[in-house]
Amino acid sequence: MTGPTADPEALRERALAALLAARDRTTLLTGCVEESELTAQHSPLMSPLVWDLAHIGNQEEQWLLRAVAGRDAMRPEIDPLYDAFEHPRAERPSLPLLAPGEARGYAAEVRGRALDVLEKTPFHGTPLTDAGFAFGMIAQHEQQHDETMLITHQLRTGPTALTAPDPPAGDPYTGPAEVLVPGGPFTMGTSTEPWALDNERPAHRRLVPPFYIDTTPVTNAAFQLFIEDGGYERMRWWDPAGWAMVHRNELRAPLFWRREGGQWLRRHFGTLEPVPADEPVLHVSWYEADAYARWAGRRLPSEVEWEKAARHDPVADRSMRYPWGDADPTPERANLGQRHLRPAPAGSYPAGESPLGVRQLIGDVWEWTSSGFLPYPGFSAFPYREYSDVFFGGDYKVLRGGAFSVDAVACRGTFRNWDHPVRRQIFSGFRTARDAGPAEAADPGGR
């Protein structure tokens, strides 16, 4: 599929491929450890892996078998156990959850029936079935939980359970450090992407002043300069709540880092390794990203700035699906789908750069923005309020672009992620931005 106007049968094939790919990944993430590891809670921030496994099956049953096909519930008594809003993660280990074998069997039985529903359902007639939305939603949901399970794998202690090849080595990036994004109107969001979720809709025009944005995400080497300059020790760089977090938790570096023998090391999926200088920094909270940006004399980009940098084609004056155009992601364009278990070096993937020359806007690391999570003008909750609506407001900050942990089905130029600004276990990084002065906007080459 190369765009949102694909015919129904192409969408059906895409849905089948997406569902199968998600289940293959779920099987990998839950099959590489002992059953005791599946039922354990490796962090109070995360569910036991076996909860995610059965929750995936339960959501698929509720939406594809019950809502789309109108079938009776298979296991109605377990619905409350796997309701994410009824039971916070910290208490899920105490619930009478399905055992690993039973959870696998349940998810497999649901999937078999769901594929039969996929084959027989017309991709028109109702909002849930138009363009196969419900099937795309469930594929995205499973991949989002696969990413959550990958986070759990990073948090767990013990021997390495997952392996993957490193990203392909390329020439070191030698281009400009920042790029000017011209001011002017821009179409944000989408009203045409068939599987876009409710918070990505509708498309709407925004006027964006000119600004500069980093060509690549901030690297580990750059972040180390912030640490060495006393970044975690100087209140002047920090949001008050972030400064309180630093002192409360005695933070001195990103999560999983430690200083040993005169160098920084990090724990990475069960392996202790030197922090790679040229990789985008990973596992930093919004507060850490914001403090670094202030220290550097810059700021985090707003959500609309990030999306304009990622989607705006200044020549055609249109918004594209991805930085490189409308074609789907490929391994040459972006680091997605857990093909690798780490970000690629900053400046990688020249085939994925935007028309303005910004790189790695899709994949590698989720990028914090300065924006809170709010609805777009004309927002309408669909198919349930709990996906987005209940999260609007509060202290949530928006992340954009996906990471190596994200599958392409759940990542596009309009996709919005959000989390609390204290979160560090997620695969989060950032890039910085700054305002463009009148002279710079008029003559970008003269700076």
Side-chain angles (χ1 to χ4, degrees):
M1 177 177 167
T2 58
T5 57
D7 64 51
E9 290 314 305
L11 283 166
R12 194 184 309 277
E13 292 177 9
R14 184 187 182 210
L16 175 61
L19 289 167
L20 295 177
R23 188 52 49 89
D24 285 346
R25 188 178 175 197
T26 300
T27 301
L28 171 65
L29 289 163
T30 57
C32 63
V33 293
E34 299 293 332
E35 288 199 357
S36 60
E37 298 254 25
L38 295 178
T39 57
Q41 185 172 47
H42 299 279
S43 165
L45 295 172
M46 312 304 292
S47 307
L49 292 169
V50 74
W51 186 92
D52 288 286
L53 174 58
H55 171 76
I56 286 167
N58 187 250
Q59 286 292 292
E60 187 166 331
E61 185 202 344
Q62 290 195 45
W63 287 103
L64 300 188
L65 302 190
R66 302 184 204 174
V68 171
R71 299 185 182 181
D72 292 337
M74 292 169 55
R75 300 283 301 271
E77 75 281 2
I78 70 172
D79 289 356
L81 299 177
Y82 299 101
D83 184 333
F85 286 88
E86 188 164 335
H87 301 288
R89 288 174 174 174
E91 70 177 40
R92 290 172 189 170
S94 64
L95 300 174
L97 303 177
L98 300 183
E102 194 175 8
R104 287 193 185 97
Y106 169 64
E109 185 176 359
V110 171
R111 172 52 55 87
R113 298 183 187 190
L115 294 182
D116 180 63
V117 172
L118 172 63
E119 183 179 342
K120 297 176 181 177
T121 300
F123 275 20
H124 61 82
T126 71
L128 269 182
T129 58
D130 285 347
F133 174 83
F135 300 93
M137 178 184 73
I138 286 300
Q140 292 177 80
H141 175 266
E142 182 162 355
Q143 286 286 3
Q144 288 170 322
H145 276 271
D146 288 340
E147 183 181 15
T148 298
M149 289 193 284
L150 188 63
I151 293 170
T152 301
H153 273 277
Q154 168 62 9
L155 287 164
R156 64 178 282 274
T157 58
T160 300
L162 295 168
T163 59
D166 287 343
D171 295 330
Y173 178 72
T174 58
E178 61 178 11
V179 168
L180 174 69
V181 180
F186 159 70
T187 299
M188 186 177 190
T190 180
S191 297
T192 58
E193 186 73 31
W195 296 349
L197 303 170
D198 58 4
N199 63 63
E200 301 171 63
R201 302 172 181 270
H204 58 286
R205 295 289 276 177
R206 298 286 295 271
L207 183 64
V208 185
F211 66 98
Y212 282 93
I213 192 167
D214 289 342
T215 313
T216 71
V218 170
T219 64
N220 289 318
F223 201 85
Q224 285 179 41
L225 296 177
F226 168 69
I227 298 172
E228 291 162 5
D229 194 44
Y232 282 87
E233 300 163 12
R234 298 184 182 180
M235 182 174 65
R236 62 183 294 194
W237 308 126
W238 293 84
D239 178 282
W243 184 243
M245 177 192 75
V246 166
H247 274 264
R248 183 171 60 252
N249 298 286
E250 299 182 347
L251 303 184
R252 294 294 181 266
L255 186 62
F256 306 117
W257 287 31
R258 74 187 197 205
R259 189 80 171 169
E260 189 173 293
Q263 67 174 335
W264 284 107
L265 305 177
R266 72 176 181 187
R267 183 167 60 81
H268 187 70
F269 292 107
T271 299
L272 190 65
E273 63 180 22
V275 171
D278 58 353
E279 281 186 14
V281 67
L282 193 63
H283 297 301
V284 290
S285 66
W286 182 90
Y287 290 126
E288 289 164 290
D290 178 64
Y292 173 95
R294 295 174 195 241
W295 169 82
R298 299 170 69 83
R299 58 178 174 79
L300 295 179
S302 67
E303 184 181 13
V304 66
E305 287 175 332
W306 188 96
E307 188 170 324
K308 184 169 185 180
R311 298 186 62 214
H312 184 59
D313 181 348
V315 175
D317 189 26
R318 73 180 188 96
S319 294
M320 305 177 297
R321 297 178 70 216
Y322 298 98
W324 55 82
D326 293 335
D328 286 341
T330 63
E332 295 74 33
R333 293 176 176 135
N335 181 8
L336 292 167
Q338 202 182 308
R339 287 193 306 272
H340 315 294
L341 286 172
R342 62 178 66 242
S348 297
Y349 301 103
E353 73 177 20
S354 74
L356 295 172
V358 188
R359 296 195 178 184
Q360 292 169 286
L361 286 158
I362 298 293
D364 286 303
V365 294
W366 283 109
E367 298 185 17
W368 288 110
T369 72
S370 64
S371 301
F373 186 49
L374 296 170
Y376 290 158
F379 168 83
S380 178
F382 177 78
Y384 58 104
R385 286 190 64 243
E386 289 78 11
Y387 183 75
S388 303
D389 195 30
V390 298
F391 295 102
F392 291 139
D395 71 345
Y396 293 104
K397 295 293 185 181
V398 173
L399 303 102
R400 287 303 206 103
F404 68 89
S405 54
V406 178
D407 188 80
V409 75
C411 185
R412 48 195 162 264
T414 57
F415 193 92
R416 307 172 75 194
N417 190 9
W418 65 95
D419 214 327
H420 296 293
V422 299
R423 291 289 187 251
R424 308 204 310 157
Q425 83 277 13
I426 59 178
F427 299 111
S428 52
F430 64 101
R431 71 181 75 215
T432 68
R434 68 179 177 92
D435 297 342
E440 290 177 310
D443 182 18
R447 66 183 186 278

